[in-house]
Tab-separated table of all heavy atoms in Angstrom:
chain	number	residue	atom	x	y	z
A	31	PRO	N	54.649	90.313	95.625
A	31	PRO	CA	54.874	91.158	96.809
A	31	PRO	C	55.878	92.276	96.562
A	31	PRO	O	55.678	93.402	97.035
A	31	PRO	CB	55.403	90.164	97.860
A	31	PRO	CG	54.917	88.837	97.412
A	31	PRO	CD	54.913	88.893	95.923
A	32	LEU	N	56.956	91.969	95.820
A	32	LEU	CA	57.961	92.995	95.541
A	32	LEU	C	57.383	94.102	94.677
A	32	LEU	O	57.670	95.289	94.899
A	32	LEU	CB	59.181	92.364	94.865
A	32	LEU	CG	60.370	93.300	94.599
A	32	LEU	CD1	60.880	93.909	95.899
A	32	LEU	CD2	61.499	92.560	93.888
A	33	LEU	N	56.548	93.742	93.706
A	33	LEU	CA	55.905	94.748	92.856
A	33	LEU	C	54.968	95.633	93.670
A	33	LEU	O	54.959	96.861	93.511
A	33	LEU	CB	55.127	94.056	91.731
A	33	LEU	CG	54.348	94.989	90.784
A	33	LEU	CD1	55.289	95.942	90.060
A	33	LEU	CD2	53.522	94.168	89.787
A	34	ILE	N	54.189	95.027	94.575
A	34	ILE	CA	53.267	95.792	95.428
A	34	ILE	C	54.055	96.748	96.327
A	34	ILE	O	53.680	97.917	96.503
A	34	ILE	CB	52.392	94.841	96.269
A	34	ILE	CG1	51.431	94.066	95.363
A	34	ILE	CG2	51.605	95.614	97.333
A	34	ILE	CD1	50.678	92.957	96.063
A	35	ILE	N	55.148	96.253	96.905
A	35	ILE	CA	55.989	97.090	97.770
A	35	ILE	C	56.560	98.263	96.985
A	35	ILE	O	56.562	99.405	97.455
A	35	ILE	CB	57.125	96.257	98.399
A	35	ILE	CG1	56.554	95.309	99.459
A	35	ILE	CG2	58.186	97.160	99.033
A	35	ILE	CD1	57.562	94.314	99.999
A	36	TYR	N	57.036	97.991	95.768
A	36	TYR	CA	57.626	99.057	94.938
A	36	TYR	C	56.588	100.131	94.598
A	36	TYR	O	56.864	101.334	94.690
A	36	TYR	CB	58.211	98.455	93.662
A	36	TYR	CG	58.806	99.468	92.726
A	36	TYR	CD1	59.844	100.306	93.134
A	36	TYR	CD2	58.328	99.602	91.414
A	36	TYR	CE1	60.399	101.247	92.278
A	36	TYR	CE2	58.879	100.539	90.551
A	36	TYR	CZ	59.907	101.358	90.983
A	36	TYR	OH	60.449	102.293	90.129
A	37	ILE	N	55.376	99.696	94.226
A	37	ILE	CA	54.314	100.647	93.907
A	37	ILE	C	53.969	101.484	95.137
A	37	ILE	O	53.784	102.707	95.047
A	37	ILE	CB	53.059	99.908	93.382
A	37	ILE	CG1	53.361	99.278	92.018
A	37	ILE	CG2	51.868	100.859	93.273
A	37	ILE	CD1	52.262	98.366	91.505
A	38	PHE	N	53.915	100.831	96.299
A	38	PHE	CA	53.613	101.557	97.540
A	38	PHE	C	54.705	102.580	97.850
A	38	PHE	O	54.401	103.703	98.276
A	38	PHE	CB	53.475	100.575	98.709
A	38	PHE	CG	53.251	101.257	100.035
A	38	PHE	CD1	51.983	101.647	100.419
A	38	PHE	CD2	54.316	101.525	100.886
A	38	PHE	CE1	51.775	102.292	101.632
A	38	PHE	CE2	54.122	102.172	102.102
A	38	PHE	CZ	52.839	102.557	102.473
A	39	ILE	N	55.969	102.197	97.656
A	39	ILE	CA	57.083	103.117	97.914
A	39	ILE	C	56.961	104.358	97.031
A	39	ILE	O	57.104	105.496	97.512
A	39	ILE	CB	58.437	102.420	97.678
A	39	ILE	CG1	58.699	101.370	98.763
A	39	ILE	CG2	59.578	103.445	97.665
A	39	ILE	CD1	59.902	100.486	98.484
A	40	ILE	N	56.684	104.148	95.748
A	40	ILE	CA	56.578	105.270	94.813
A	40	ILE	C	55.401	106.172	95.189
A	40	ILE	O	55.551	107.395	95.337
A	40	ILE	CB	56.418	104.761	93.367
A	40	ILE	CG1	57.633	103.924	92.940
A	40	ILE	CG2	56.225	105.942	92.413
A	40	ILE	CD1	58.936	104.658	92.964
A	41	ILE	N	54.223	105.575	95.369
A	41	ILE	CA	53.024	106.366	95.669
A	41	ILE	C	53.148	107.028	97.039
A	41	ILE	O	52.834	108.218	97.210
A	41	ILE	CB	51.769	105.480	95.603
A	41	ILE	CG1	51.540	104.993	94.172
A	41	ILE	CG2	50.536	106.248	96.111
A	41	ILE	CD1	50.392	104.019	94.020
A	42	GLY	N	53.611	106.273	98.043
A	42	GLY	CA	53.738	106.812	99.394
A	42	GLY	C	54.669	108.002	99.462
A	42	GLY	O	54.346	109.027	100.082
A	43	ASN	N	55.823	107.888	98.825
A	43	ASN	CA	56.786	108.991	98.860
A	43	ASN	C	56.340	110.169	98.008
A	43	ASN	O	56.642	111.319	98.344
A	43	ASN	CB	58.168	108.491	98.407
A	43	ASN	CG	58.886	107.721	99.491
A	43	ASN	OD1	59.282	108.273	100.509
A	43	ASN	ND2	59.052	106.425	99.295
A	44	LEU	N	55.631	109.896	96.913
A	44	LEU	CA	55.074	111.003	96.124
A	44	LEU	C	54.033	111.772	96.925
A	44	LEU	O	53.981	113.007	96.865
A	44	LEU	CB	54.453	110.461	94.830
A	44	LEU	CG	55.407	110.153	93.675
A	44	LEU	CD1	54.653	109.501	92.527
A	44	LEU	CD2	56.119	111.412	93.195
A	45	ILE	N	53.205	111.050	97.690
A	45	ILE	CA	52.190	111.709	98.524
A	45	ILE	C	52.855	112.595	99.568
A	45	ILE	O	52.460	113.747	99.780
A	45	ILE	CB	51.282	110.655	99.192
A	45	ILE	CG1	50.357	110.020	98.159
A	45	ILE	CG2	50.460	111.295	100.310
A	45	ILE	CD1	49.532	108.861	98.698
A	46	VAL	N	53.900	112.063	100.229
A	46	VAL	CA	54.618	112.852	101.230
A	46	VAL	C	55.248	114.082	100.579
A	46	VAL	O	55.156	115.201	101.105
A	46	VAL	CB	55.703	112.001	101.934
A	46	VAL	CG1	56.596	112.880	102.811
A	46	VAL	CG2	55.061	110.909	102.779
A	47	PHE	N	55.868	113.898	99.417
A	47	PHE	CA	56.540	114.998	98.721
A	47	PHE	C	55.552	116.105	98.355
A	47	PHE	O	55.774	117.287	98.658
A	47	PHE	CB	57.233	114.470	97.466
A	47	PHE	CG	57.905	115.529	96.640
A	47	PHE	CD1	59.138	116.041	97.003
A	47	PHE	CD2	57.292	116.029	95.496
A	47	PHE	CE1	59.761	117.034	96.244
A	47	PHE	CE2	57.897	117.012	94.728
A	47	PHE	CZ	59.133	117.510	95.110
A	48	PHE	N	54.433	115.734	97.716
A	48	PHE	CA	53.471	116.746	97.269
A	48	PHE	C	52.685	117.337	98.437
A	48	PHE	O	52.278	118.505	98.389
A	48	PHE	CB	52.526	116.158	96.218
A	48	PHE	CG	53.149	116.037	94.858
A	48	PHE	CD1	53.426	114.802	94.311
A	48	PHE	CD2	53.476	117.170	94.132
A	48	PHE	CE1	54.019	114.681	93.064
A	48	PHE	CE2	54.065	117.078	92.877
A	48	PHE	CZ	54.338	115.821	92.338
A	49	ALA	N	52.459	116.543	99.487
A	49	ALA	CA	51.755	117.077	100.668
A	49	ALA	C	52.554	118.213	101.289
A	49	ALA	O	51.987	119.242	101.685
A	49	ALA	CB	51.533	115.958	101.687
A	50	VAL	N	53.866	118.050	101.361
A	50	VAL	CA	54.725	119.096	101.921
A	50	VAL	C	54.770	120.298	100.995
A	50	VAL	O	54.680	121.460	101.429
A	50	VAL	CB	56.147	118.548	102.170
A	50	VAL	CG1	57.089	119.682	102.573
A	50	VAL	CG2	56.126	117.480	103.261
A	51	ARG	N	54.892	120.042	99.693
A	51	ARG	CA	55.042	121.139	98.741
A	51	ARG	C	53.770	121.982	98.612
A	51	ARG	O	53.843	123.191	98.353
A	51	ARG	CB	55.418	120.580	97.360
A	51	ARG	CG	56.800	119.959	97.309
A	51	ARG	CD	57.867	120.974	97.614
A	51	ARG	NE	59.177	120.376	97.847
A	51	ARG	CZ	60.250	121.057	98.170
A	51	ARG	NH1	60.171	122.371	98.319
A	51	ARG	NH2	61.401	120.462	98.379
A	52	MET	N	52.599	121.355	98.795
A	52	MET	CA	51.347	122.055	98.536
A	52	MET	C	50.718	122.651	99.790
A	52	MET	O	49.772	123.441	99.693
A	52	MET	CB	50.348	121.109	97.853
A	52	MET	CG	50.819	120.631	96.487
A	52	MET	SD	49.634	119.570	95.633
A	52	MET	CE	48.337	120.744	95.275
A	53	ASP	N	51.211	122.281	100.972
A	53	ASP	CA	50.679	122.825	102.217
A	53	ASP	C	51.621	123.908	102.736
A	53	ASP	O	52.749	123.615	103.145
A	53	ASP	CB	50.523	121.705	103.255
A	53	ASP	CG	49.688	122.152	104.460
A	53	ASP	OD1	49.708	123.357	104.792
A	53	ASP	OD2	49.015	121.295	105.056
A	54	THR	N	51.162	125.151	102.737
A	54	THR	CA	52.023	126.264	103.153
A	54	THR	C	52.419	126.172	104.632
A	54	THR	O	53.440	126.729	105.033
A	54	THR	CB	51.309	127.608	102.911
A	54	THR	OG1	50.034	127.590	103.572
A	54	THR	CG2	51.101	127.832	101.415
A	55	HIS	N	51.623	125.456	105.432
A	55	HIS	CA	51.949	125.308	106.850
A	55	HIS	C	53.197	124.436	107.062
A	55	HIS	O	53.796	124.453	108.136
A	55	HIS	CB	50.765	124.688	107.616
A	55	HIS	CG	49.553	125.566	107.656
A	55	HIS	ND1	48.534	125.463	106.735
A	55	HIS	CD2	49.204	126.583	108.498
A	55	HIS	CE1	47.599	126.363	107.014
A	55	HIS	NE2	47.979	127.057	108.068
A	56	LEU	N	53.566	123.686	106.036
A	56	LEU	CA	54.726	122.796	106.139
A	56	LEU	C	55.955	123.352	105.428
A	56	LEU	O	56.932	122.632	105.238
A	56	LEU	CB	54.384	121.412	105.564
A	56	LEU	CG	53.221	120.668	106.210
A	56	LEU	CD1	53.069	119.284	105.599
A	56	LEU	CD2	53.395	120.568	107.718
A	57	HIS	N	55.886	124.618	105.038
A	57	HIS	CA	57.022	125.227	104.346
A	57	HIS	C	58.040	125.734	105.377
A	57	HIS	O	58.177	126.931	105.616
A	57	HIS	CB	56.548	126.362	103.433
A	57	HIS	CG	55.801	125.875	102.243
A	57	HIS	ND1	55.274	126.716	101.292
A	57	HIS	CD2	55.506	124.612	101.840
A	57	HIS	CE1	54.671	125.996	100.360
A	57	HIS	NE2	54.795	124.726	100.667
A	58	ASN	N	58.715	124.783	105.987
A	58	ASN	CA	59.790	125.093	106.933
A	58	ASN	C	60.919	124.092	106.721
A	58	ASN	O	60.742	123.090	106.010
A	58	ASN	CB	59.278	125.075	108.378
A	58	ASN	CG	58.686	123.729	108.772
A	58	ASN	OD1	59.336	122.698	108.652
A	58	ASN	ND2	57.452	123.725	109.247
A	59	PRO	N	62.111	124.343	107.279
A	59	PRO	CA	63.275	123.477	106.998
A	59	PRO	C	63.037	121.995	107.258
A	59	PRO	O	63.406	121.151	106.434
A	59	PRO	CB	64.357	124.034	107.928
A	59	PRO	CG	63.993	125.469	108.090
A	59	PRO	CD	62.504	125.519	108.085
A	60	MET	N	62.401	121.636	108.385
A	60	MET	CA	62.234	120.231	108.731
A	60	MET	C	61.441	119.484	107.656
A	60	MET	O	61.862	118.425	107.169
A	60	MET	CB	61.521	120.090	110.081
A	60	MET	CG	61.333	118.643	110.513
A	60	MET	SD	60.497	118.459	112.098
A	60	MET	CE	58.806	118.870	111.645
A	61	TYR	N	60.304	120.037	107.255
A	61	TYR	CA	59.467	119.365	106.266
A	61	TYR	C	60.064	119.456	104.865
A	61	TYR	O	59.835	118.567	104.035
A	61	TYR	CB	58.052	119.933	106.296
A	61	TYR	CG	57.291	119.533	107.535
A	61	TYR	CD1	57.020	120.461	108.536
A	61	TYR	CD2	56.874	118.222	107.714
A	61	TYR	CE1	56.334	120.084	109.683
A	61	TYR	CE2	56.196	117.835	108.855
A	61	TYR	CZ	55.933	118.770	109.841
A	61	TYR	OH	55.263	118.396	110.981
A	62	ASN	N	60.815	120.502	104.609
A	62	ASN	CA	61.508	120.585	103.331
A	62	ASN	C	62.504	119.436	103.198
A	62	ASN	O	62.581	118.778	102.153
A	62	ASN	CB	62.238	121.920	103.204
A	62	ASN	CG	63.035	122.018	101.908
A	62	ASN	OD1	62.478	122.119	100.826
A	62	ASN	ND2	64.361	121.969	102.020
A	63	PHE	N	63.257	119.168	104.259
A	63	PHE	CA	64.205	118.049	104.239
A	63	PHE	C	63.473	116.715	104.078
A	63	PHE	O	63.948	115.820	103.370
A	63	PHE	CB	65.044	118.030	105.521
A	63	PHE	CG	65.999	119.188	105.645
A	63	PHE	CD1	66.178	119.837	106.858
A	63	PHE	CD2	66.735	119.623	104.557
A	63	PHE	CE1	67.056	120.895	106.978
A	63	PHE	CE2	67.615	120.691	104.658
A	63	PHE	CZ	67.781	121.332	105.873
Side-chain angles (χ1 to χ4, degrees):
L32 184 59
L33 178 61
I34 292 171
I35 289 172
Y36 178 59
I37 292 172
F38 176 84
I39 290 171
I40 299 299
I41 294 175
N43 282 292
L44 279 174
I45 288 174
V46 171
F47 177 79
F48 283 111
V50 172
R51 292 298 168 182
M52 297 182 69
D53 193 330
T54 55
H55 294 94
L56 301 184
H57 289 180
N58 59 55
M60 181 180 74
Y61 289 108
N62 177 70
F63 292 139

